[in-house]
Amino acid sequence: MEIQHVIHHHPLSLSFIKERSTKAPYCKGCVRKLSGPTYGCENCMFFIHKSCLDEHKAKVQCFFHPCPLTISIFYFSRCFVCFKEIFPSIFSYKCKLNCWFETHVKCALKPIIEYSDEECTIQHFTHAHPLKLVDSNQKDEVICSICQELCSSSSSTYGCMRCEFFLHKSCMKSIPLQLINHRIHPCTLKFISFPYGGVKCDCCGEHIVSRMFSCRACDFDLHVKCAIFPTIDSEDAKEIRHFCHRHTLALVQNDEEYGNEPRCVACAQICLAPTPTFRCSRSCSHFFLHKSCYVKLPYKSYKLKHPSHPDHPLTMTSLPYNDHIRTCDACCRDIDSTLLAYSCREYECEFNLHLDCYKVLASITFSGHEHPLTLLEKITGVTCHFCGVNCGNLILRCMPCDINIHLQCLPSAPKTIKHKSHLHPLTLTKSPFEYELNSDEKEDEFYCDVCEQKRNQKELIYYCMECKFIAELKCVFYEVLQLIYENSSFEKEIPKGDVSQKVEFYPEIQKWHVENLLLKRIKLHEGQQELEAKMEQLMEELDGVKIEIRKTEDILGNIVGGDSKLLIELVKNNSQLRDLFNDAALESVIGSMIYFKTAIERQPLKSARKLDLLQD
């Protein structure tokens, strides 16, 4: 007979073992020798008494945890209810959905103690012991373990005096076992009494001592206070929490609190009354956040992915973490330390983005290139690697490789398009007017016929020769991008034939990248050769100096005959040489002529005392 049980991943066979069998292994449940009806898996050497297995339910629902619990045998774990150790080969219950929650059988089956007017006790899932109503005289310096506020005499408080654990009655009623659709994190957050400590809150960054709301799938943890703190949705909330700042944010109550033209950390605009604004309630005097900006920030996910940095998530926070200036990897501009930005927290990554630069219009992948080219709406200070013109709007950028390309400069960019703004087809070309191309005057203005706004005359345009109609890329962007995606030539596999076929099908951007890397390699190699030549020259000079030092020491030793006292007497009236002795500059010379050289070197004496030893 075989059964499939949650306690083991393989089927267990039922057999009968004689009591006096010397070869019988031990029961995994009671750690006694097996005898009688036994379930076992011989491949894993897993055996357990039938009575031990039948004694406990395979699955239970615990009052202290919202997920179902399954029977388990775990080694050297700790109970999440009473915080005591679960010893080896003792049954326990652990979370079926991998919440890390594990507890003694006794703690898992603990009954709910109903409220009683006589005893004034209640069992709450936040603590292992029943909580009693605290006397008003005992509440002078008692702090609620949930909201971290003092338990005043005017509020009802329950507690466990043995563990010094206290709760407001209001907190007992308001705290749930799990939070669904929370503003800080999209997954369900479950309440866990964590017995290990050392976990950091993903909202405020401070250590979590014991109790928290957690999402194990995302490795996301929150202090209870951070998880249940009022949000912007609460109309009467005077203080709120946001994951972008570790302290609470207080609503600005009057004009004086604004100070000297403070700027919002999200939009960088000046905060002026009566615009509703929140500010840091502690020492961060620069942190102001418009209520409207608070709503716009992507609150549904604390850690976000970006196509230009797929290996690690980006966290919205204030920069820099240390003294040096951070640079945005999209626009290459410095990031103001008073403003919010997206940043990678992994060591040595130092990948950062402005809030505006995080926005991605599209990504295009090229065969042979490991990173996608990210289409950014605006960028400054970089040059297109194909046409050499300064980049402005709608730039394809590979941030790790520092490649920047105008969308219209792509080899796959459509040569002809149709657009609703003009009757005839538009052709991709340079400006047809010579005076435009040759003009370097800043006051000259050249316009797009679609938006009637100023444009860069050096960039490629879509043009109708018959009507002299000019459309810049940003006005026909969606038509161009759609045709680029439809034209899959840039995604074709490079053939495995001869070299000439490979070159013919090789993407233009990859050709440029190969050339650029080779040029970089040549420059680095030239620099390496120069440094090696200088190093070789310095090594020759160093060898010459060492030879001269040895010759000088030999001559000096021959003159004084190895007599250290004579050496000291000869130079004691020369202040310069006496200082050199005190600084141990001639230590090697002295050491070569005195027999106790080794003893002096091994003693932790200051250089100034070595001369005294020699004189003695």
Side-chain angles (χ1 to χ4, degrees):
M1 176 183 174
E2 284 188 347
I3 63 169
Q4 187 68 54
H5 199 277
V6 294
I7 204 169
H8 191 66
H9 52 281
H10 295 149
L12 300 177
S13 301
L14 182 62
S15 60
F16 189 88
I17 297 179
K18 295 181 180 179
E19 292 185 10
R20 297 184 180 180
S21 174
T22 57
K23 296 182 180 181
Y26 291 91
C27 172
K28 291 289 185 181
C30 63
V31 204
R32 298 175 182 173
K33 260 200 164 184
L34 293 172
S35 62
T38 302
Y39 285 108
C41 174
E42 293 189 2
N43 291 334
C44 302
M45 293 300 293
F46 182 91
F47 299 94
I48 188 168
H49 286 126
K50 182 177 183 298
S51 57
C52 290
L53 199 61
D54 294 343
E55 185 180 352
H56 303 96
K57 295 181 180 179
K59 298 179 183 179
V60 298
Q61 187 67 53
C62 176
F63 171 64
F64 296 93
H65 191 64
C67 306
L69 305 180
T70 58
I71 196 71
S72 173
I73 298 176
F74 205 81
Y75 294 92
F76 297 108
S77 185
R78 192 176 290 272
C79 177
F80 277 58
V81 175
C82 66
F83 291 2
K84 295 180 181 179
E85 287 189 1
I86 302 174
F87 295 102
S89 299
I90 293 180
F91 286 108
S92 65
Y93 280 101
K94 65 179 181 180
C95 179
K96 183 180 180 181
L97 303 180
N98 193 27
C99 290
W100 287 9
F101 186 90
E102 186 166 5
T103 179
H104 291 109
V105 171
K106 182 180 179 180
C107 293
L109 302 178
K110 183 178 290 188
I112 301 175
I113 303 174
E114 298 294 342
Y115 178 81
S116 171
D117 290 333
E118 297 178 359
E119 297 181 356
C120 294
T121 62
I122 189 169
Q123 180 73 59
H124 199 261
F125 61 82
T126 55
H127 193 65
H129 306 132
L131 305 179
K132 294 182 179 181
L133 187 64
V134 179
D135 187 87
S136 59
N137 297 326
Q138 298 175 305
K139 293 190 292 184
D140 293 339
E141 296 184 0
V142 170
I143 297 177
C144 176
S145 298
I146 297 301
C147 67
Q148 301 297 313
E149 301 293 339
L150 284 173
C151 300
S152 62
S153 57
S154 60
S155 60
S156 299
T157 302
Y158 287 81
C160 173
M161 300 302 295
R162 181 174 65 177
C163 302
E164 296 184 353
F165 179 86
F166 302 95
L167 289 180
H168 288 123
K169 185 177 181 180
S170 57
C171 291
M172 291 175 60
K173 291 182 177 180
S174 61
I175 183 172
L177 260 173
Q178 57 186 5
L179 298 171
I180 302 174
N181 294 326
H182 196 271
R183 287 290 304 275
I184 292 182
H185 192 67
C187 306
T188 299
L189 298 172
K190 296 168 184 174
F191 180 87
I192 293 180
S193 296
F194 199 68
Y196 301 105
V199 178
K200 282 190 175 182
C201 175
D202 283 307
C203 178
C204 66
E206 297 178 358
H207 284 281
I208 299 174
V209 179
S210 59
R211 293 160 183 84
M212 63 184 180
F213 280 94
S214 177
C215 172
R216 285 297 92 211
C218 303
D219 193 20
F220 184 87
D221 306 302
L222 289 177
H223 275 123
V224 174
K225 184 177 180 180
C226 295
I228 65 174
F229 211 86
T231 64
I232 201 83
D233 295 333
S234 305
E235 294 182 1
D236 57 343
K238 302 299 181 183
E239 286 190 331
I240 59 173
R241 281 274 190 182
H242 196 277
F243 61 78
C244 66
H245 194 66
R246 63 185 303 169
H247 303 142
T248 58
L249 304 179
L251 186 66
V252 175
Q253 299 292 335
N254 54 64
D255 297 355
E256 295 179 359
E257 293 186 48
Y258 282 97
N260 185 21
E261 293 190 349
R263 295 183 178 273
C264 174
V265 295
C267 67
Q269 299 299 314
I270 296 176
C271 300
L272 296 174
T275 304
T277 302
F278 288 91
R279 67 171 300 175
C280 177
S281 60
R282 297 194 188 178
S283 57
C284 306
S285 58
H286 72 277
F287 197 95
F288 285 78
L289 182 64
H290 288 133
K291 184 175 181 179
S292 56
C293 293
Y294 180 104
V295 175
K296 293 176 183 177
L297 292 177
Y299 220 145
K300 277 293 181 183
S301 182
Y302 171 70
K303 297 178 180 179
L304 302 173
K305 288 285 189 179
H306 195 273
S308 296
H309 194 70
D311 295 335
H312 307 130
L314 303 181
T315 303
M316 184 188 294
T317 186
S318 298
L319 289 176
Y321 303 117
N322 43 36
D323 294 336
H324 73 278
I325 305 257
R326 298 297 181 100
T327 303
C328 176
D329 285 271
C331 66
C332 302
R333 292 180 288 117
D334 291 341
I335 297 178
D336 191 331
S337 60
T338 62
L339 301 181
L340 295 177
Y342 286 105
S343 178
C344 178
R345 292 289 185 90
E346 293 295 325
Y347 182 67
E348 292 185 347
C349 254
E350 295 189 359
F351 184 90
N352 308 291
L353 293 175
H354 287 115
L355 292 188
D356 292 340
C357 294
Y358 179 85
K359 181 181 179 182
V360 174
L361 298 177
S363 295
I364 297 177
T365 304
F366 287 84
S367 59
H369 192 71
E370 59 177 326
H371 309 124
L373 293 180
T374 303
L375 186 60
L376 302 173
E377 187 173 3
K378 289 184 179 181
I379 196 170
T380 58
V382 297
T383 304
C384 175
H385 289 105
F386 278 173
C387 69
V389 177
N390 288 337
C391 299
N393 297 319
L394 301 173
I395 302 302
L396 283 168
R397 174 166 168 77
C398 177
M399 298 181 194
C401 301
D402 194 21
I403 296 176
N404 310 290
I405 302 173
H406 287 121
L407 186 64
Q408 64 268 38
C409 290
L410 282 178
S412 56
K415 306 306 178 186
T416 304
I417 64 169
K418 290 184 179 180
H419 193 264
K420 61 183 180 181
S421 62
H422 195 65
L423 180 64
H424 305 134
L426 302 176
T427 304
L428 181 64
T429 181
K430 293 182 179 179
S431 173
F433 309 113
E434 286 295 329
Y435 73 91
E436 277 196 11
L437 296 175
N438 299 327
S439 174
D440 291 326
E441 299 294 333
K442 293 183 179 180
E443 59 269 15
D444 289 345
E445 295 184 355
F446 305 95
Y447 292 88
C448 167
D449 291 320
V450 178
C451 64
E452 298 183 352
Q453 299 294 321
K454 187 178 178 181
R455 62 179 175 83
N456 185 350
Q457 77 273 19
K458 303 293 185 181
E459 293 183 357
L460 295 177
I461 57 172
Y462 282 92
Y463 178 66
C464 174
M465 184 176 294
E466 181 179 349
C467 305
K468 304 294 188 291
F469 184 90
I470 294 177
E472 60 179 337
L473 178 68
K474 70 176 184 179
C475 293
V476 293
F477 160 67
Y478 291 104
E479 288 75 10
V480 172
L481 188 63
Q482 183 178 358
L483 291 173
I484 287 177
Y485 278 121
E486 291 177 358
N487 180 10
S488 58
S489 61
F490 61 88
E491 292 183 345
K492 288 182 178 178
E493 292 292 331
I494 300 173
K496 298 181 180 180
D498 56 27
V499 175
S500 60
Q501 287 181 319
K502 290 182 179 180
V503 171
E504 181 182 355
F505 282 87
Y506 218 75
E508 287 296 324
I509 184 169
Q510 291 306 103
K511 292 178 183 178
W512 176 87
H513 200 209
V514 169
E515 292 176 0
N516 186 60
L517 291 175
L518 285 175
L519 290 173
K520 183 178 180 180
R521 170 66 176 81
I522 291 171
K523 291 180 180 179
L524 290 173
H525 183 65
E526 291 174 350
Q528 179 186 1
Q529 288 179 324
E530 291 179 6
L531 290 174
E532 288 176 348
K534 290 180 180 179
M535 187 181 296
E536 186 176 350
Q537 182 180 355
L538 290 173
M539 290 299 294
E540 291 177 358
E541 294 178 7
L542 180 62
D543 291 338
V545 171
K546 288 181 177 179
I547 293 172
E548 288 299 319
I549 288 175
R550 285 197 295 269
K551 287 181 180 179
T552 304
E553 289 178 350
D554 291 341
I555 296 172
L556 185 60
N558 292 331
I559 292 175
V560 299
D563 190 341
S564 60
K565 291 184 177 181
L566 175 61
L567 177 64
I568 298 299
E569 288 297 323
L570 288 173
V571 301
K572 70 178 183 179
N573 294 326
N574 189 315
S575 60
Q576 182 181 4
L577 292 177
R578 187 169 62 248
D579 293 339
L580 287 174
F581 270 111
N582 290 337
D583 293 338
L586 299 180
E587 181 181 341
S588 59
V589 180
I590 299 171
S592 65
M593 295 186 293
I594 54 179
Y595 69 94
F596 54 96
K597 169 179 178 292
T598 305
I600 292 178
E601 287 183 346
R602 289 181 178 176
Q603 293 186 39
L605 300 176
K606 294 184 178 179
S607 299
R609 293 194 58 197
K610 291 185 179 180
L611 187 58
D612 297 336
L613 279 175
L614 292 174
Q615 290 175 338
D616 294 339

